[in-house]
Structures are given as structure tokens and as C-alpha cells.
Amino acid sequence: MNKFIFVSGGVCSSLGKGVAASSLGALLEGRGLNVRMVKCDPYINVDAGTMSPYQHGEVYVTDDGAETDLDLGNYARFTSGPLSMANSITTGQVYRSVIQKEREGRYLGRCVQVIPHITDEIKSRIKAVAREDGDTDVVIVEIGGTVGDIESIPFLETARQMIREEGRLNAISVHLTLIPEVAGGELKTKPTQHSVKAMQEQGIQPDILICRAPVMLDEATCRKIALFTNMENDSVFTSYDINTTIYEVPLIFFEQKLDQIVLKKLGVESRHANLKPWYTMMDKFAARRGRVRIGIVGKYMDLHDSYKSVYEALFHAGLETGVEVELVKIDSARVEEADDAAGVLGPQGEGVDGVLVPGGFGERGINGMVRAAAWARENGIPYFGICLGMQIMVIEWGRSVLGWEDANSTEFKQDTKHPVISLLEEQVDVKNYGGTMRLGKSETVAEPGSRIMAAYGEKNIFERHRHRYEFSNNYRKEMTDSGLSLTAFTADRSLVECVEWPGHPWGLGVQFHPEFKSKPTAASPLFRDFIAAVRDRRA
Ligand code: GLN
């Protein structure tokens, strides 16, 4: 079975198209179908790797090392199908390969055009995901942007062609719109009518409409929308505002029977729905008692999306450990400029119960992170370092414990006398940064008796990397002799993957990014243990 669902959006952006697409994926998985998710991004960047986290949010890394759009993170948290480079299609990739083929003369002298050459390329990429393994049932294709944007036209045109070519029972359109509320509390359907009209102008009649609204739409409103948009009465759904968690959205759709209607439209016979993991997750949500304040000390603090997976993983860990996790976002420059770190982080300041230093690039704010780490270490406050956050632990140890004031990473100070974090020797001459990073899944082996081993419950760990600099092997001896624990390595033991503070309630840093694999229904073990340590210390 190979079915396609195209999810598009109208009226405006940020309506939660990614969450809607992912939630539909979760529901279909609950019905026992094998689902694959694809994101089509209209931007011309080849991938998200070169985009600023300030502007575009986090770069989501897949097992195969693709640097993709953060929407893939949503897919990973809601659904369980594999995600790789193939699941993220950008205009840049599509044009690059079409132009490459043109240069190789593979179009045999024909004039190369948006239709059919660009749309064929998009089509073949979508179908490649469907074919990846033999048992894919449904591919959900989320089309970035808003209908009416110049940039998304080729993707919508591809959807139109595929709906026609595959046949009505094999490909459908799900369209997400907004029902705004105007003064006086009246709900307005006109923008939705216009949005569907814009879809029809692209040659697509949506099969399912999901309306983002402040409240559940009543039947009369749904019927009115259906009438004006040429939809069936049972095909208009509401994604109403909730004050619980986005992870309740699959259940909200389930209660409206969205999955049943989708299956009907795809000609798939209805089967038993198992949504137990989602209901259990919501029970855990309701059962949380108490609250912990986690100070995230980083440099991209203004845009929530910049550390999206980290924030989500903290939330998952709270579900697992029974506490509400409050995110206290602290620009590391603030810690750097303050008289002392305690004034910002301690009881007189933000009063955080735990410190997390996430990944990052570039020099700005580094000293603030080092001071935050020192404060956590000296005061027995749980600390979790991710990638850059682990490197910060090593720098801090060099400066405070070994007394090397200039201890640093060569990323921030090339000629420091104590480069405790540096490029691997063979990498020093690499000038072209693109492609020189350690990216994607690799194996880490934990030492028996370590906290990291206790967290995972086994010594072989598979997590994803995205970094260029490493713990310098020249300092292994001095670091361990002075008491820093090196507790996990690459399988060949050539690189340090985890450091821990001895005699501390919980101080641990990893060179990889565990946040990418955390799910609401299965929290990342390290996030879970970090939050558990914070909770226990407060109790
Ligand atoms: N900037 C550091 C490096 O390249 C850390 C990267 C990260 O935190 N993702 O090694």
C-alpha cells in the first residue's frame, strides 16, 4: 500500500502545520499503519545547516547526519518511522540536482522547465521515501509556507499532479487554516473560504480541512465552512487552542474521528486504534507534582525554536519524573557581565534548581557559560552540558581546578597555551568548514559504574553528533589525575564522549545531542536523570 497525504497551510504561518501533520501521523501509526513523514521546504538553501539559529531555529540532525529543518524534530517526537536526508526536500536541493542533470546533458537538448522537470524531481523524491522500504503504507508530505506564496507553487503543483495520477483513493489533500475571532468573540470563516479558494486555483480541492480556532467549532459553523469550500460535512475538523501540551493534539483529533475519515478517504478499511502510549503520557502530564526551575544558559535565547529539541526533551523528562519543568532562559552574556554568577543564577537572582548549557558555536557568551558551570559545580547544583556544554565543563575544570587561567577551546582562542578543546590534528588544515563536522549517529561506549551508563542501562549508546571540536587527548592525563571523570568514549576509545564531576549530585556533559531522540512517550535517559537529580535535591 502506498498512499500519499499532502498537508498544506493557508491564511498565515505558525498555525501548527507541523504538529497537525505529525499528529495525523501518530494517529495512523496508532491504527497500525507504517507512516513516513516528508517536509518540503520552499527555501533555496540546500539544507538548514547554514541557517542562523537566531532566524530559523534549531538545526535538526538525523541519524545519517543530515542537517534538516526543525519540523523533522516534530515528526521524530510524534511518529516512529526513520528520518534521514531523504525526508527533507528543499527547493535548493531540487534545483541543484535538476541543474546538475542539465549540465550532464541528461535532458537530451530539451528546454528544462519548472513543469515538468522541477515537479518531476520533487515527485521522484517523494516517491523514493515511499519506496525506501517495502512496507510503507502512507507518506505524509508537509508543504512548507502558505498557499499563495510564490515559492511553494512548484510543491503544490506536484501535489496536484500526484493526486491526479495516483487516484483519489491514493492521494489526498489536508489543508490547515485559521478561524480568527474578532471583537465581540465572533468567529470568522471568511479567511478559510479564501484559503480554500487559493487551493482550488492551484487545482487542488482539499479533502480534509483542519481549522485552527480558539474553541471547538460547532456543527453549524463546520457545515457552513463545508458548504462554502466544497467539502463534505464530515471533513471539517477543529484544532482548538489548548493549555495543556501540543502532545494532546493527536487525542483531540482522535476524538473528532479525523483518522477514521482519512482512512475512509484513502480506502483503507478501519482497524483497531491503539493510542495507549498517548493516553498514558497525558496521565503522566496530569500527575505531575511540584516544579523545578531549569536555567538554560546559552546564546540564542530570544527565539524559542533555537533550542526546540532541548526544551521539548526537558518537558519529556518532567513527564517521566513527575515534575513540571520551568524553563528559565538566561542569555549567557548576562552571567558574563554580572558581578558574580550567583547574583544571576542563585536565590537572589533567578533561583534556578539546575543548569543546562546547550550546544552552540562561536565565542560570544562563552565566559558566562564557564561561570555558570563553576557556580553549579561549587554549589552542588545539578548541571547538564550538551556538546558545547560539555566543552565548557572541561574549560571550567582547566581554569578552576588546574589553575590554567587561559584554558580554552581553539574555537575561541587559537593561540591559548592550554587548548583543552581543539580540532583533531588532522583537521587543523581543513579550511573549508562545510562538511568537516562530525555529524549524525555514532556509537559511544560507557564505562561501568558511571552515571551515563546508569542512565542508559547499557554500555553501548547510539546518539547523534554535530560538532567540530573535541576534548583534547593531550590533556586526558592531567584532567583525570586532577579528578575529572571521563566516562564514555567512541568505540575505538580515540575520542572522549562524556565527562562527569566526581562527588557532585549530578554534573555531566556529553559531546553528542541526546535531545534529538527524546520523545513525550519515551524521554531521553540523560534528561530524565538530570531532572530526577534536580527534583531529589530540592525534596
Ligand atoms: N562549537 C562546538 C564545536 O564545534 C560545539 C558544537 C555544538 O555544541 N553543537 O565543537
Side-chain angles (χ1 to χ4, degrees):
M1 183 176 14
N2 261 190
K3 311 269 183 183
F4 299 90
I5 300 175
F6 294 93
V7 180
S8 57
V11 184
C12 63
S13 60
S14 304
L15 296 181
K17 190 155 31 102
V19 170
S22 307
S23 298
L24 180 55
L27 289 184
L28 297 181
E29 280 190 351
R31 295 267 180 184
L33 294 176
N34 212 329
V35 179
R36 293 287 182 279
M37 306 290 301
V38 174
K39 176 77 193 286
C40 292
D41 270 306
Y43 49 71
I44 296 170
N45 305 58
V46 169
D47 62 37
T50 56
M51 284 198 259
S52 160
Y54 291 111
Q55 273 181 37
H56 195 75
E58 109 185 335
V59 171
Y60 185 81
V61 181
T62 55
D63 273 349
D64 67 341
E67 299 177 280
T68 69
D69 199 86
L70 51 80
D71 273 310
L72 267 73
N74 271 327
Y75 304 161
R77 291 184 277 273
F78 282 86
T79 64
S80 55
L83 292 166
S84 71
M85 193 112 52
N87 302 70
S88 172
I89 304 175
T90 69
T91 297
Q93 283 167 27
V94 170
Y95 272 81
R96 186 167 73 171
S97 64
V98 168
I99 290 169
Q100 210 159 3
K101 284 183 199 158
E102 185 273 331
R103 292 290 82 187
E104 289 163 6
R106 292 181 31 205
Y107 293 107
L108 306 173
R110 283 192 294 269
C111 176
V112 181
Q113 295 177 304
V114 173
I115 305 172
H117 301 103
I118 294 296
T119 50
D120 276 354
E121 179 68 28
I122 299 170
K123 218 182 285 178
S124 81
R125 283 168 184 255
I126 292 171
K127 289 186 178 171
V129 175
R131 274 196 310 269
E132 226 162 56
D133 58 354
D135 57 354
T136 299
D137 298 312
V138 182
V139 182
I140 299 178
V141 184
E142 180 190 347
I143 299 175
T146 306
V147 59
D149 293 350
I150 291 176
E151 294 181 316
S152 32
I153 290 175
F155 291 106
L156 287 168
E157 168 59 15
T158 305
R160 183 195 69 76
Q161 291 177 22
M162 283 187 71
I163 290 169
R164 199 178 160 74
E165 288 162 10
E166 303 289 321
R168 285 200 61 189
L169 288 175
N170 291 317
I172 61 170
S173 154
V174 173
H175 191 58
L176 183 75
T177 69
L178 176 71
I179 305 282
E181 188 183 53
V182 291
E186 206 185 331
L187 296 174
K188 290 297 183 188
T189 65
K190 193 72 80 188
T192 293
Q193 296 175 33
H194 282 297
S195 181
V196 173
K197 216 163 263 164
M199 287 294 286
Q200 290 163 345
E201 276 164 21
Q202 294 290 325
I204 302 174
Q205 166 63 51
D207 298 281
I208 303 267
L209 214 53
I210 300 178
C211 303
R212 181 71 194 270
V215 293
M216 179 78 192
L217 297 176
D218 58 29
E219 240 189 281
T221 312
C222 289
R223 234 185 265 127
K224 176 179 167 193
I225 294 170
L227 180 66
F228 279 99
T229 56
N230 195 30
M231 307 273 309
E232 288 174 272
N233 277 337
D234 64 1
S235 303
V236 179
F237 298 86
T238 315
S239 176
Y240 52 86
D241 294 349
I242 43 176
N243 55 13
T244 50
T245 154
I246 53 163
Y247 300 115
E248 197 182 4
V249 175
L251 297 176
I252 283 168
F253 287 169
F254 179 69
E255 276 147 28
Q256 297 175 55
K257 303 194 168 60
L258 172 67
D259 50 336
Q260 272 185 39
I261 301 292
V262 167
L263 291 182
K264 190 178 91 186
K265 292 200 186 272
L266 288 173
V268 179
E269 66 188 83
S270 191
R271 33 178 101 195
H272 174 70
N274 174 16
L275 293 174
K276 190 138 180 286
W278 296 96
Y279 283 111
T280 307
M281 186 268 310
M282 283 311 292
D283 288 345
K284 288 183 181 169
F285 177 82
R288 295 176 305 164
R289 293 287 171 267
R291 172 194 286 237
V292 294
R293 285 169 64 79
I294 302 301
I296 298 104
V297 183
K299 52 187 274 195
Y300 319 115
M301 301 321 300
D302 292 338
L303 184 67
H304 185 81
D305 277 352
S306 302
Y307 297 119
K308 176 113 174 109
S309 293
V310 170
Y311 298 152
E312 294 302 315
L314 284 169
F315 176 80
H316 306 158
L319 292 176
E320 214 49 57
T321 55
V323 290
E324 197 177 322
V325 177
E326 192 181 336
L327 306 175
V328 185
K329 302 174 186 176
I330 300 169
D331 191 326
S332 53
R334 253 181 83 197
V335 185
E336 192 163 317
E337 287 151 16
D339 290 339
D340 65 343
V344 178
L345 301 166
Q348 309 82 15
E350 299 285 357
V352 303
D353 306 309
V355 172
L356 188 154
V357 175
F361 294 82
E363 196 198 348
R364 195 179 65 78
I366 291 301
N367 290 330
M369 297 175 202
V370 171
R371 288 177 85 189
W375 176 78
R377 189 175 56 77
E378 285 160 7
N379 294 284
I381 308 287
Y383 173 98
F384 187 15
I386 296 178
C387 207
L388 175 64
M390 177 198 110
Q391 300 176 355
I392 292 293
M393 277 174 92
V394 177
I395 295 169
E396 192 276 327
W397 189 272
R399 290 184 190 175
S400 314
V401 178
L402 290 161
W404 303 329
E405 266 171 48
D406 63 343
N408 217 329
S409 162
T410 52
E411 179 180 3
F412 316 126
K413 195 163 186 346
Q414 276 263 291
D415 57 354
T416 175
K417 276 212 221 57
H418 295 97
V420 292
I421 304 290
S422 61
L423 295 175
L424 292 178
E425 278 66 81
E426 63 271 23
Q427 289 185 358
V428 169
D429 286 333
V430 181
K431 289 281 176 295
N432 177 7
Y433 274 179
T436 62
M437 268 202 268
R438 220 171 130 210
L439 275 169
K441 174 170 120 173
S442 61
E443 184 176 7
T444 296
V445 181
E447 298 283 291
S450 61
R451 281 221 167 81
I452 183 171
M453 170 120 179
Y456 284 90
E458 55 187 324
K459 68 180 204 317
N460 303 94
I461 297 164
F462 294 87
E463 294 280 11
R464 300 179 197 152
H465 291 74
R466 181 175 187 247
H467 65 108
R468 201 172 282 125
Y469 293 81
E470 302 281 355
F471 180 108
S472 168
N473 287 324
N474 299 335
Y475 291 93
R476 269 200 205 187
K477 188 168 170 359
E478 280 154 298
M479 289 284 172
T480 41
D481 284 354
S482 56
L484 187 66
S485 305
L486 310 183
T487 57
F489 303 90
T490 47
D492 63 1
R493 295 189 72 84
S494 69
L495 301 173
V496 173
E497 294 273 56
C498 182
V499 307
E500 297 181 25
W501 287 332
H504 184 278
W506 208 90
L508 181 150
V510 282
Q511 191 58 80
F512 50 76
H513 288 271
E515 70 271 26
F516 292 138
K517 284 173 70 174
S518 188
K519 286 169 167 255
T521 49
S524 156
L526 288 173
F527 279 85
R528 180 200 62 211
D529 284 11
F530 169 55
I531 295 300
V534 172
R535 176 200 62 195
D536 294 347
R537 192 182 151 274
R538 275 199 52 170

